[in-house]
Amino acid sequence: MAQSQNSFSLLDTHLLEQLQLPRVAIVHTEWNDKIVRELVNGCEGIIHKFTGDIIGKLAVPGCFELPFGCRQLWERYKNSDERPEAIIAFGAVIRGGTPHFDYVCRAVTDGILQLNLTLPVPVIFGVLTLDNEDQAWERLGGVHGHKGEEAAVTALKMIRIVRG
């Protein structure tokens, strides 16, 4: 399992202090809402810490719908002066007793990949793929860090890259 505590460059945010007013949008699922709400809360804390603005949020039913939601959010804001410089997609898929888990995880991963190749802004993959709910809490402030905060740092770093 990847542990952010062992990836010091990922956690290095000193260059982000120079970033002026980054604009981020969030698309999140309604499914597994308790987990997803904590991902979003952690993300918002980091965005605001670096004087960023969350210009829009969109809720979609489940992870399968995340890529479509990200595209819709981009289309809504793309002609605005306040368009997002990064979009973060949050969700959680918990393995059940059927192959449904594999299909949903593959679809959302492929969908986010396609958005990264076609949209002019980065789309950050903030989807937890879990065997059980306990693993979620290990990734929301437990031994594996906080994946919502890490997604925010990733978005800010990508905005910095795009800005040059």
Side-chain angles (χ1 to χ4, degrees):
M1 251 335 122
Q3 295 185 24
S4 59
Q5 297 92 324
N6 296 328
S7 301
F8 297 111
S9 63
L10 173 66
L11 299 176
D12 181 4
T13 59
H14 79 278
L15 293 176
L16 298 180
E17 295 167 9
Q18 302 165 11
L19 198 58
Q20 298 294 312
L21 304 172
R23 295 181 311 277
V24 176
I26 296 172
V27 179
H28 63 88
T29 64
E30 296 172 326
W31 196 257
N32 293 315
D33 64 329
K34 182 171 51 172
I35 295 166
V36 173
R37 189 175 326 115
E38 183 56 34
L39 284 166
V40 171
N41 289 342
C43 173
E44 289 177 334
I46 295 296
I47 298 299
H48 294 298
K49 176 182 175 180
F50 290 99
T51 67
D53 189 19
I54 298 171
I55 59 100
K57 284 189 196 174
L58 179 64
V60 296
C63 284
F64 194 86
E65 293 78 27
L66 280 170
F68 182 82
C70 290
R71 165 113 23 224
Q72 289 301 112
L73 191 139
W74 172 254
E75 292 296 324
R76 180 183 306 162
Y77 288 99
K78 72 179 181 182
N79 295 320
S80 165
D81 290 338
E82 297 299 314
R83 67 183 160 274
E85 295 176 276
I87 300 170
I88 305 173
F90 283 123
V93 185
I94 301 174
R95 188 181 303 277
T98 68
H100 182 73
F101 173 88
D102 298 314
Y103 301 137
V104 171
C105 291
R106 169 67 66 181
V108 71
T109 302
D110 289 348
I112 299 297
L113 168 65
Q114 288 303 311
L115 291 172
N116 272 298
L117 298 174
T118 59
L119 292 183
V121 298
V123 180
I124 310 306
F125 188 85
V127 178
L128 298 180
T129 55
L130 312 159
D131 288 323
N132 55 59
E133 188 173 329
D134 289 341
Q135 288 180 342
W137 302 112
E138 292 172 355
R139 287 153 182 82
L140 293 168
V143 298
H144 294 290
H146 196 293
K147 300 307 177 188
E149 293 175 357
E150 290 174 22
V153 169
T154 300
L156 295 172
K157 286 184 173 189
M158 294 302 292
I159 289 169
R160 185 173 174 276
I161 288 169
V162 170
R163 286 184 181 181

